[in-house]
Amino acid sequence: MSKVAIITGASSGIGAATARQFLAAGFTTFNVSRRPCQIEGVSDICGDLSTQTDAQALATVLANSVRQIDASSVCLVHNASLMLKDHCDDCPDDAFSKVMQINVSAINTLNNALMPCLHSSSSVLYVGSTLSEKAVSGAFSYIVSKHAQLGMMRATCQDLMGKGIHTALICPGFTDTEMLRQHVGNDADVIASISQMNSFKRLVRPEEIAEMLFWAHHNPVINGSVMHGNLGQLEH
């Protein structure tokens, strides 16, 4: 029996770094995203998690793949995410629904399909955000979705009691990813400014979050935990 890692959004950023980490450790590694992963050896199951139809189709393919492998241990990493610039008084319903579909509903769809395939020693890991437990202005739908992921993780922990499957919420701070750079308009001054908002005066590297996820999978003692990876972010 082999080990499997399923990582949503592994085409870039934290997801790609995580795929590389698990692949190097001998895991059969799947990327679930719209774009293929550029890492040789990673298997792509491509589709659009922003539509429920595609999410269900992806979940079916993944579940069948895991059953065929008969994996002794599966690490399911919910990493794919959409972040928009919006406010509580300026957040169109269709945009809000799209964020919630990718960041919350698709997770539920994948969980429903894959949970029956997970043996003891598997894990379900959620990639949240510093904004899973706090808020800033200008990212309303994203913040709501990340708070929802915190609730999902805690409920997952309780529902899986006694099954030998553990869960955690890994919360990156400002991480050097495509999503962050797009959100700030690739503005070098803004990136430099937010880099100063932690003790080490730099952005978190995707590889650092990947190492946290890899460690979390192998250490069930953290079941139900919220783990922050932000280099000691300055609080206001």
Side-chain angles (χ1 to χ4, degrees), residues 98-131:
K98 185 175 183 179
V99 171
M100 296 302 289
Q101 167 60 33
I102 295 172
N103 297 6
V104 180
S105 295
I107 293 176
N108 183 63
T109 299
L110 292 173
N111 281 350
N112 282 332
L114 289 166
M115 290 289 190
C117 308
L118 305 189
H119 294 297
S120 175
S121 79
S122 295
S123 67
V124 181
L125 304 179
Y126 299 79
V127 179
S129 166
T130 300
L131 298 176

Side-chain angles (χ1 to χ4, degrees), residues 26 45-46 69 101 104 112 131 146 157 164 173 189 192 221-222 226:
I45 298 180
C46 292
I69 295 171
Q101 167 60 33
V104 180
N112 282 332
L131 298 176
K146 290 300 175 179
C157 176
D189 290 337
V221 69
I222 51 83
V226 178

Side-chain angles (χ1 to χ4, degrees), residues 28-75:
T28 299
T29 304
F30 292 95
N31 161 49
V32 185
S33 66
R34 290 180 296 110
R35 300 177 298 174
C37 178
Q38 299 304 310
I39 301 169
E40 185 177 355
V42 174
S43 298
D44 293 304
I45 298 180
C46 292
D48 189 355
L49 291 172
S50 71
T51 71
Q52 186 60 19
T53 300
D54 268 22
Q56 289 174 336
L58 289 168
T60 299
V61 172
L62 279 166
N64 289 336
S65 298
V66 173
R67 290 191 189 98
Q68 290 172 7
I69 295 171
D70 193 21
S72 60
S73 177
V74 176
C75 180

Side-chain angles (χ1 to χ4, degrees), residues 39-234:
I39 301 169
E40 185 177 355
V42 174
S43 298
D44 293 304
I45 298 180
C46 292
D48 189 355
L49 291 172
S50 71
T51 71
Q52 186 60 19
T53 300
D54 268 22
Q56 289 174 336
L58 289 168
T60 299
V61 172
L62 279 166
N64 289 336
S65 298
V66 173
R67 290 191 189 98
Q68 290 172 7
I69 295 171
D70 193 21
S72 60
S73 177
V74 176
C75 180
L76 173 56
V77 180
H78 293 298
N79 168 72
S81 195
L82 175 63
M83 185 179 194
L84 301 178
K85 292 183 178 180
D86 51 28
H87 295 77
C88 66
D89 56 353
D90 184 18
C91 181
D93 287 342
D94 57 347
F96 183 82
S97 295
K98 185 175 183 179
V99 171
M100 296 302 289
Q101 167 60 33
I102 295 172
N103 297 6
V104 180
S105 295
I107 293 176
N108 183 63
T109 299
L110 292 173
N111 281 350
N112 282 332
L114 289 166
M115 290 289 190
C117 308
L118 305 189
H119 294 297
S120 175
S121 79
S122 295
S123 67
V124 181
L125 304 179
Y126 299 79
V127 179
S129 166
T130 300
L131 298 176
S132 293
E133 294 190 311
K134 60 185 292 184
V136 295
S137 177
F140 176 75
S141 57
Y142 180 79
I143 292 166
V144 171
S145 72
K146 290 300 175 179
H147 276 65
Q149 287 179 2
L150 172 57
M152 292 181 80
M153 184 278 293
R154 287 176 169 161
T156 300
C157 176
Q158 295 300 309
D159 286 344
L160 295 180
M161 282 288 170
K163 295 187 176 181
I165 302 169
H166 68 279
T167 187
L169 181 76
I170 310 301
C171 295
F174 292 113
T175 306
D176 194 358
T177 62
E178 180 181 318
M179 185 177 75
L180 174 68
R181 290 182 176 274
Q182 287 179 346
H183 189 71
V184 301
N186 283 308
D187 188 314
D189 290 337
V190 175
I191 292 171
S193 177
I194 61 177
S195 296
Q196 299 300 305
M197 295 178 65
N198 64 63
S199 180
F200 290 80
K201 311 300 182 186
R202 64 171 175 83
L203 296 178
V204 178
R205 294 188 298 271
E207 292 77 14
E208 292 175 306
I209 304 303
E211 289 173 3
M212 291 181 68
L213 289 162
F214 187 79
W215 184 89
H217 170 67
H218 289 92
N219 289 273
V221 69
I222 51 83
N223 190 22
S225 295
V226 178
M227 301 172 61
H228 286 274
N230 57 30
L231 295 169
Q233 194 163 298
L234 180 66

